[in-house]
């Protein structure tokens, strides 16, 4: 029982490298994306340990200080440390985006499965509604819902969640429709499998692979929408730490050249979205290799 | 008859992720002015690759690793790019298997002709180019008011003739035809072969006819080159080879053509399967399937030997 | 489908919280006055009736009257619409140019460093919030380098009212041949147009590249090469034209993103367009205007789809015959 951690890590790394050689650059894109995401999640989870100041502390340092040793990202107009706000802001945005994606996928996948499987009038109507929502600018709907529901973390999560349901719906419905016609489904029906069984045991597993990819990209999108909503001032009360809101606030000081107020929150939003996107795109290439790419 | 194209020791490799595919090995082939040479072999033997190599149309990762292709005292393999472009479509033309996909669907027929002509004769006027295009189409049996149409509006046979038209519009010396009849039905194929014969005489063409169809070759070719597993195994006059094939593979090939006059209870086949071109067998590439394989066949690749005016690559003859 | 969109708008606006009438009357008005106003505005009628009325109104191009300002919604919208359209067109041009040429170039130089770089760009650019890019560009070009203006459609010394006719400032300034004003208008279009154009280009880069890769492997490209047609013509004429069709479809689908992006760009650059109008009126709870704006956006989306279909038929002869 001699498990040296070095050997374990070595094995892991060589495992990575062999995957890397097999799949090429897409594998690395996926890994880098995953690393970025994990790093930021880590930052969010350990916020209290990592951040030198409280994000609400209005006495962290002198006002509007550019980045220096004590405040690596400077301070804002309320004398708060920007870096601390970034660290805690990660919590907000991750919470909203991931939760919204989970809600979206739950509803979208279920509805897609049922609608595709059942067909008929129900399917036609639902598809029409979903298609219309899908083609409509998501941001406007999100703004509408956010205004309607008022500020609050749960509310903004719901607002963001609703927009993405049609995406899952369309994808899952499409796949359900084609899988439904496959021979082995017919066979299952012939031996008396109930419709629920067919749905869950046969169709659902086939759908899952693509859904994971969409989920990742969904989170990336949700991050963008959440930040956009808070940037325009909807969705969250000012007490909550959020990157989008910090951007909106920092915007006022742009003209006086205090660049650190907008550069860092915006960069973090981009980075987090990039992380999820890279993960999703890399994964999608691996699951569906486009052979011509080689 | 003088030689117009000399392929010497051509070797083409395709490096891919599982290894290197040796598609063409040490091929020597000469085309003489005015003759039709049939390059036959089964799928994957390398014949199309040779065709593509002449105009350096190899798709990545294919690379010409060795050899020369001499035309007009120049080596095509090492030619400069603009010289090569001047050659293509102008002195040496190529037509392909599927006429439907060989024409750009978004451009009109006359546009495609005019473009080709203007690329090679930069000063020609549009009207002159247009009249040349209609002339050749009329010659091929297509009314010239179809020039303003799009490819999808024409039948398969017509498209095939348009392809030939575009290949011949600048009066090339050599025409390379890669599996030209494979996608045609038998009737159209027969018409096509007749057409090719006419054109050959009209334009004094030299044709390299690449096909796996022995029937096509029998009708048209003066000489035949037989390929197997990236090597040319036999070259000679068509009649002679058909009457008396030398190489065991050629014998097997001809024997496997069903003959209604013979009383054949079973169709004749050759045992085994085509060689793996990434890891070819040692020695003669055909030896695993050869009924007359000898010790030396498993060790050394046979060289081309001359016998009765023919070239054979077999230890039985050299 | 347009019908469904409009219905959704109807529903969404109706369920927004806050009694619009109380808001309008100042919050402390007595019950009776509120009731009276509601009656006046027709808000007490059954929903079905209101719905039919709403649809009819749209057909008549009448979007009602603003609750906050004394103006017809339609008029307010049409005042701001040209600004948004100008911005959008500018962005679309930039996006298509950038996206298509970068995509074609990447496909051409496959597996080279430039190819990977461009692919990377394609993935990343969409993840950058459009307003952040706008702010950063404002910072760099407007504040630090001070070469481009960062807000509004015209500069402080140009008075739009002197030439405003159609609302499309580029047209207007050309009509009266006021070239310095034209220059001013154009330079104000640069930053917002480039911001929006850059963000949207990512997806076109990837789409073009993927399509071009497929097309460059096709037989007619090989045949064209065999005729001695030079490489750049093969890529940028023969192959690219075939790649257009799926690109167009994508353009149609991207309208939604264009609108969303436009809204955010307008807030960042103080661009007096529909996007800013929408946000302003949301704060003010001006429901008719909000509803009107969203309706116009929905119609916009539908129109673009139609235009895309028409352009299809022009480019692809196979559809025509």
């Amino acid at each position: 029982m001699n498990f040296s951690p070095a050997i374990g890590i070595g094995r892991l790394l060589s495992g990575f490298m062999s995957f890397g050689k097999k799949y090429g650059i897409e594998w690395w894109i996926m890994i880098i994306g995953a690393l970025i995401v994990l790093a930021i999640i880590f930052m969010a989870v350990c916020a209290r340990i990592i951040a030198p100041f409280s994000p609400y502390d209005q006495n962290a340092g002198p006002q509007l200080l550019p980045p220096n040793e004590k405040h690596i990202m400077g301070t804002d107009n309320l004398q708060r440390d920007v870096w601390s706000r970034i660290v805690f802001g990660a919590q907000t945005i991750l919470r909203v985006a991931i939760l919204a994606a989970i809600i979206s996928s739950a509803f979208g996948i279920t509805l897609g499965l049922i609608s595709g499987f059942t067909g008929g009038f129900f399917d036609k109507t639902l598809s029409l509604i979903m298609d219309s929502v899908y083609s409509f600018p998501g941001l406007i709907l999100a703004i509408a819902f956010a205004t309607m529901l008022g500020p609050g973390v749960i509310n903004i999560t719901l607002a963001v969640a609703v927009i993405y349901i049609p995406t899952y719906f369309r994808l899952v419905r499409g796949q359900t429709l084609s899988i439904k016609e496959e021979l082995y489904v017919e066979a299952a029906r012939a031996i008396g499998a109930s419709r629920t069984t067919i749905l869950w045991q046969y169709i659902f597993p086939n759908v899952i692979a693509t859904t994971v990819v969409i989920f990742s990209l969904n989170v990336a999108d949700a991050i963008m929408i959440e930040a956009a909503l808070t940037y325009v001032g909807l969705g969250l009360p000012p007490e909550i730490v959020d990157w989008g809101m910090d951007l909106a606030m920092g915007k006022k000081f742009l003209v006086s050249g205090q660049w650190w107020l907008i550069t860092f929150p915006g960069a973090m939003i981009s980075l987090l979205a990039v992380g999820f996107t890279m993960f999703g795109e890399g994964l999608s290439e691996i699951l569906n290799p486009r052979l011509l790419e080689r | 008859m003088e030689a117009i194209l000399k392929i010497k020791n051509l070797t083409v490799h395709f490096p891919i992720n599982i290894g290197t595919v040796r598609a063409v090995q040490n091929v020597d082939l000469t085309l003489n002015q005015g003759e039709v040479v049939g390059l036959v072999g089964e799928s994957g033997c390398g014949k199309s690759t040779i065709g593509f190599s002449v105009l350096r149309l190899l798709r990545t990762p294919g690379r010409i690793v060795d050899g020369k292709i001499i035309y007009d005292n120049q080596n095509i393999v090492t030619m400069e790019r603009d010289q090569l472009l001047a050659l293509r479509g102008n002195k040496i033309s190529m037509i392909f298997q599927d006429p439907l996909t060989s024409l750009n669907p978004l451009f009109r027929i006359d546009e495609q002709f005019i473009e080709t002509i203007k690329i090679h004769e930069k000063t020609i006027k549009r009207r002159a180019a247009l009249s040349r295009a209609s002339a050749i189409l009329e010659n091929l049996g297509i009314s010239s008011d179809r020039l303003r149409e799009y490819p999808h509006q024409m039948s398969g046979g017509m498209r095939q003739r348009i392809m030939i038209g575009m290949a011949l519009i600048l009066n090339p010396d050599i025409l390379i035809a890669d599996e030209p009849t494979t996608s045609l039905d038998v009737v159209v194929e027969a018409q096509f072969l007749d057409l090719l014969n006419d054109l050959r005489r009209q334009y004094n063409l030299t044709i390299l006819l690449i096909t796996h169809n022995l029937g096509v070759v029998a009708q048209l070719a003066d000489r035949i080159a037989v390929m197997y597993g990236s090597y040319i195994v036999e070259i000679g006059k068509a009649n002679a080879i058909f009457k008396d094939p030398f190489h065991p593979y050629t014998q097997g090939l001809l024997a496997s053509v069903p003959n209604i006059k013979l009383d054949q209870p079973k169709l004749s086949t050759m045992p085994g399967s085509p060689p793996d071109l990434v890891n070819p067998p040692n020695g003669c590439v055909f030896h695993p399937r050869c009924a007359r394989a000898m010790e030396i066949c498993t060790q050394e690749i046979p060289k081309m030997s001359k016998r009765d005016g023919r070239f054979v690559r077999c230890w039985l003859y050299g | 489908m347009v019908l469904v969109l409009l219905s959704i708008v109807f529903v969404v606006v109706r369920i927004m919280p806050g009694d619009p009438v109380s808001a309008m009357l100042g919050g402390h008005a007595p019950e009776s006055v509120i009731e009276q106003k509601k009656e006046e505005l027709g808000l007490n009628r059954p929903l079905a009736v209101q719905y039919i009325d709403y649809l009819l109104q749209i057909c008549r191009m009448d979007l009602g009257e603003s609750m906050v300002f004394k103006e017809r919604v339609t008029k307010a919208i049409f005042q701001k619409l040209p600004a948004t359209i100008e911005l959008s067109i500018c962005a679309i041009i930039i996006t298509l140019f950038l996206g298509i040429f970068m995509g074609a170039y990447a496909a051409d130089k496959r597996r080279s460093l430039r190819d990977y770089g461009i692919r990377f760009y394609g993935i990343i650019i969409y993840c950058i919030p459009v307003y952040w890019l706008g702010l950063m560009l404002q910072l760099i070009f407007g504040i630090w380098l001070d070469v481009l203006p960062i807000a509004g459609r015209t500069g402080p010394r140009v008075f739009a009212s002197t030439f405003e006719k159609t609302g499309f400032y580029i047209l207007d300034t050309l009509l009266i041949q006021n070239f310095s004003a034209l220059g001013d208008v154009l330079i104000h279009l640069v930053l917002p147009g480039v911001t929006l154009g850059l963000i949207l280009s990512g997806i076109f880069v990837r789409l073009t590249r993927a399509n071009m890769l497929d097309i460059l492997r096709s037989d007619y490209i090989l045949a064209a090469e065999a005729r001695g047609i030079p490489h750049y013509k093969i890529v940028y004429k023969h192959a690219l034209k075939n790649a257009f069709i799926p690109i167009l479809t994508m353009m149609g689908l991207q309208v939604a993103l264009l609108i969303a992006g436009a809204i955010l760009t307008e807030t960042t650059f103080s661009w007096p367009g529909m996007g800013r109008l929408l946000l302003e009126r949301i704060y003010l709870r001006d429901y008719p205007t909000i509803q009107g704006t969203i309706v116009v956006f929905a119609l916009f989306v539908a129109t673009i789809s139609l235009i895309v279909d028409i352009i299809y038929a022009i480019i692809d002869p196979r559809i025509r015959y």
Side-chain angles (χ1 to χ4, degrees), chain B residues 89-95 113 116-117 132 136 139-140 161-176 195-196 198-200 202-207, chain C residues 227:
Chain B
N90 192 10
K91 298 271 179 247
I92 307 180
S93 280
M94 189 160 176
I95 59 175
F113 268 102
T116 309
I117 299 175
R132 277 216 254 168
I136 201 170
N139 195 12
L140 289 167
R161 278 177 279 161
I162 290 179
M163 265 225 314
I164 300 180
M166 281 213 269
L168 299 179
I169 186 102
L170 292 162
N171 246 311
D173 292 329
I174 304 175
L175 176 68
I176 305 175
L195 179 64
L196 214 51
D198 283 339
L199 291 172
R200 162 211 183 168
Q202 241 186 346
Y203 290 87
N204 202 11
L205 275 177
T206 311
I207 302 182
Chain C
R227 298 203 294 270

Side-chain angles (χ1 to χ4, degrees), chain A residues 25-26 29 128-129 131-133 135-141 143-145 147-149 221 224 227-228 231-234 247 251 254-255 257 259 262-263 266-267 269-270 273-274 277-278 281 290 292-294, chain C residues 1 4-5 8-9 12 15-17 110-111 116 119-120 123-124 126-129 131-132 135-136 138-139 143-144 150 206 209 213-214 217 256 259-260 263-264 267-268 278-279 282-283 285 294 297-298 301:
Chain A
I25 197 166
E26 273 76 27
I29 293 182
L128 191 58
I129 297 179
D131 275 346
S132 308
V133 174
S135 56
F136 196 68
L139 186 65
I140 298 187
L141 280 178
I143 292 178
F145 276 104
T147 323
M148 178 178 111
L149 296 167
D221 255 346
M224 306 288 291
Y231 173 76
V232 294
L234 301 163
L247 256 184
K251 180 176 152 191
L254 178 72
V255 207
W259 55 275
I262 53 167
T263 312
I269 299 174
S270 308
V274 164
T277 307
M278 283 175 87
E281 291 286 338
R290 285 185 285 225
L292 292 173
E293 293 278 319
R294 297 269 150 253
Chain C
M1 205 204 275
V4 178
L5 278 178
I8 294 181
V9 175
V12 165
I15 52 182
M16 282 208 203
R110 221 183 117 197
R111 295 187 126 203
Y116 287 126
R119 285 170 74 185
F120 190 66
I123 297 183
I124 302 299
Y126 184 62
C127 296
I128 299 180
Y131 44 92
W132 185 61
L135 288 173
M136 296 304 286
Q138 279 181 332
L139 189 66
I143 310 291
W144 285 344
I150 64 171
R206 295 166 64 202
R209 179 184 171 276
L213 283 180
D214 273 345
R217 299 214 134 226
I259 294 179
I263 295 179
L264 295 171
T267 36
T268 313
L278 180 64
L279 284 174
I282 285 184
Y283 294 139
R285 297 264 185 273
I294 301 184
F297 278 135
V301 171

Side-chain angles (χ1 to χ4, degrees), chain A residues 79-90:
Chain A
Q79 298 179 289
R80 299 175 294 197
D81 178 43
V82 175
W83 165 238
S84 306
R85 284 188 70 80
I86 295 282
V87 172
F88 275 91

Side-chain angles (χ1 to χ4, degrees), chain C residues 67-98:
Chain C
M67 279 185 192
V68 178
F69 305 102
K70 264 240 160 294
E71 60 176 5
R72 308 293 314 168
V73 171
T74 326
K75 183 157 164 267
I77 291 182
F78 277 105
Q79 249 178 1
K80 308 280 182 153
L81 191 57
T84 305
I85 294 185
E86 243 187 5
L87 175 62
S88 304
I89 294 183
C90 181
I92 290 177
I93 295 176
I94 294 180
T95 283
L96 286 179
F97 253 104
L98 262 184

